[in-house]
Amino acid sequence: MPVTNDTVVRTIEWTPEGVVLLDQRKLPRREEYHLCRTYQEVAEAIRGMIIRGAPAIGVAAAMGIALGVRQSPAASLDTLKAEFRGICDTLAATRPTGVNLFWAIGRMRLLFDDLMERRADLSAIRARLVEEAQKIKEEDIAANRALGDYGVALVPAGKTVMTICNAGALATAGYGTALGVIRSAIREGKNVDVLALETRPFLQGARLTAWELQRDRIPTTLITDNMAGHFLHSGRIGCVVVGADRIAANGDVANKIGTYTVAVLAKENGVPFYVAAPLSTVDLNIPSGDSIPIEERPAAEVTEIQGVPIAPAGIAVSNPAFDVTPNSYVSAIITERGVARPPYTESLRQLKQR
Ligand code: MRU
């Protein structure tokens, strides 16, 4: 019987010593925690994939800002103001694609500006920023639980759900988006199992999704990415559910590299393709996926597996970390305020404004 002990996965926590992160580079071999004592260390942890997944990165950035302001020796509000800008810029420069990072920084900045305008004292500013970061974390968990519940009706019972990358508790503050839908479906008594794509090159599927679901005793089978078409054609897959790093106003979806391939194969085989994401991932300022910046990651992620070279030295490499799935392949977008259906320009705007 599956257990939903998802809350036991402590992805990120604020402590008096600093921000504690579950080191996702080391999973599944070791469950180690990494302490960031400064905002610069939080920025490094995001860039180096100690913490990853768009919503989790947003929470980390908010906590990084709270940490930066706490560590600042600023004697006056004016010096703090200048330092605050530097802290936000450092965190914003870590990863360009996931919009939750910029959304969380924007929210912290709004609060900071408001406190500055009201000439709040330094200790009150520090305390409020910590409080806000914690709130962002709690709200993310609540959003995931809500969207998970909205997603249940879309998951066919007695079938397999295919997913790519890790859009689980590890990629969020807890519960997960795509994996949240699966958790909710199982909690509601739906008999489903999961087909997890390994997700080359960083192996978030093999290392993280497999670890997280196995821990929850959710029946999971791991396959390599190039097996996706074979299984989508087999009749076994009831639906595909993936997360998102940024959703444009028209419903184009940036997610882990390989998602687009799965979406095309799903459509070809008549399998519904669902995207599960909180509204903090929806970027109404970006009209279509063409304007979403795609992160290029180090070549070593492609030429090596866990530090072992698998390609000749000097070979040219391309390593885009994300791709964009055009909205025509997306059957629905599951959010914490309900399920958006095409045309997305209309449905996403309505959900965001509610
Ligand atoms: O490079 P990563 O591991 O940060 O990429 C993560 C993804 O692409 C996830 O699918 C996405 O952030 C959604 S997580 C709820």
Side-chain angles (χ1 to χ4, degrees):
M1 186 57 188
V3 287
T4 44
N5 63 356
D6 52 275
T7 43
V8 176
V9 178
R10 285 164 39 237
T11 310
I12 177 163
E13 252 167 49
W14 175 271
T15 71
E17 289 74 39
V19 180
V20 176
L21 307 171
L22 175 55
D23 191 339
Q24 301 196 25
R25 299 167 310 178
K26 306 213 169 123
L27 289 171
R29 283 173 298 124
R30 287 199 302 280
E31 203 174 319
E32 275 178 20
Y33 288 85
H34 178 91
L35 172 64
C36 300
R37 291 182 192 276
T38 65
Y39 76 89
Q40 292 94 336
E41 286 173 6
V42 173
E44 252 337 286
I46 295 172
R47 193 175 289 111
M49 306 286 275
I50 290 174
I51 187 159
R52 32 67 50 200
I57 291 171
V59 175
M63 290 190 179
I65 290 172
L67 202 56
V69 170
R70 193 181 73 171
Q71 84 197 58
S72 157
S76 74
L77 290 188
D78 287 334
T79 43
L80 182 64
K81 197 171 179 178
E83 275 180 29
F84 186 84
R85 208 170 307 127
I87 294 166
C88 291
D89 290 350
T90 302
L91 288 157
T94 50
R95 298 193 69 192
T97 304
V99 76
N100 306 62
L101 170 70
F102 307 100
W103 171 87
I105 293 172
R107 185 162 150 176
M108 295 296 277
R109 189 176 270 143
L110 268 182
L111 172 65
F112 181 79
D113 289 348
D114 179 57
L115 293 165
M116 290 299 274
E117 205 165 297
R118 290 195 278 114
R119 306 302 284 176
D121 68 59
L122 269 171
S123 65
I125 293 176
R126 290 186 174 124
R128 276 294 289 117
L129 290 173
V130 174
E131 216 175 275
E132 190 71 4
Q134 298 269 39
K135 208 162 151 226
I136 289 174
K137 177 182 164 177
E138 293 310 319
E139 284 175 14
D140 185 59
I141 298 173
N144 293 336
R145 288 192 185 277
L147 72 85
D149 292 353
Y150 276 117
V152 174
L154 303 177
V155 177
K159 290 276 204 177
T160 299
V161 180
M162 179 180 278
T163 191
I164 186 167
C165 193
N166 171 265
L170 290 168
T172 61
Y175 202 69
T177 55
L179 300 193
V181 170
I182 292 165
R183 287 194 162 99
S184 291
I186 287 176
R187 202 199 54 223
E188 294 295 309
K190 281 199 171 169
N191 166 30
V192 293
D193 71 316
V194 178
L195 208 52
L197 293 172
E198 70 169 346
T199 320
R200 274 283 289 151
F202 208 71
L203 305 176
Q204 288 94 330
R207 295 188 304 104
L208 307 177
T209 294
W211 179 81
E212 186 180 324
L213 293 181
Q214 191 178 61
R215 203 180 147 104
D216 251 11
R217 290 189 231 149
I218 292 174
T220 303
T221 304
L222 177 65
I223 60 170
T224 62
D225 301 337
N226 52 358
M227 296 174 189
H230 170 79
F231 283 101
L232 283 163
H233 189 67
S234 70
R236 169 179 165 185
I237 313 295
C239 65
V240 178
V241 187
V242 302
D245 292 86
R246 192 184 301 228
I247 301 173
N250 71 346
D252 290 349
V253 174
N255 191 49
K256 181 51 56 195
I257 192 76
T259 303
Y260 174 41
T261 317
V262 173
V264 174
L265 287 165
K267 188 166 186 174
E268 173 68 20
N269 289 285
V271 177
F273 179 89
Y274 300 122
V275 175
L279 287 161
S280 52
T281 305
V282 176
D283 185 358
L284 294 183
N285 297 318
I286 293 244
S288 80
D290 295 342
S291 327
I292 298 177
I294 300 294
E295 176 184 6
E296 183 72 23
R297 294 210 40 99
E301 290 179 1
V302 174
T303 57
E304 297 173 5
I305 293 185
Q306 307 271 283
V308 179
I310 55 157
I315 189 73
V317 168
S318 191
N319 186 15
F322 304 96
D323 58 26
V324 174
T325 299
N327 58 18
S328 54
Y329 293 96
V330 179
S331 312
I333 298 174
I334 307 161
T335 79
E336 70 274 33
R337 290 193 197 145
V339 177
R341 296 273 185 185
Y344 292 112
T345 310
E346 203 45 41
S347 55
L348 287 176
R349 194 173 45 80
Q350 274 175 11
L351 286 176
K352 269 283 237 199
Q353 277 170 357
R354 234 204 264 158

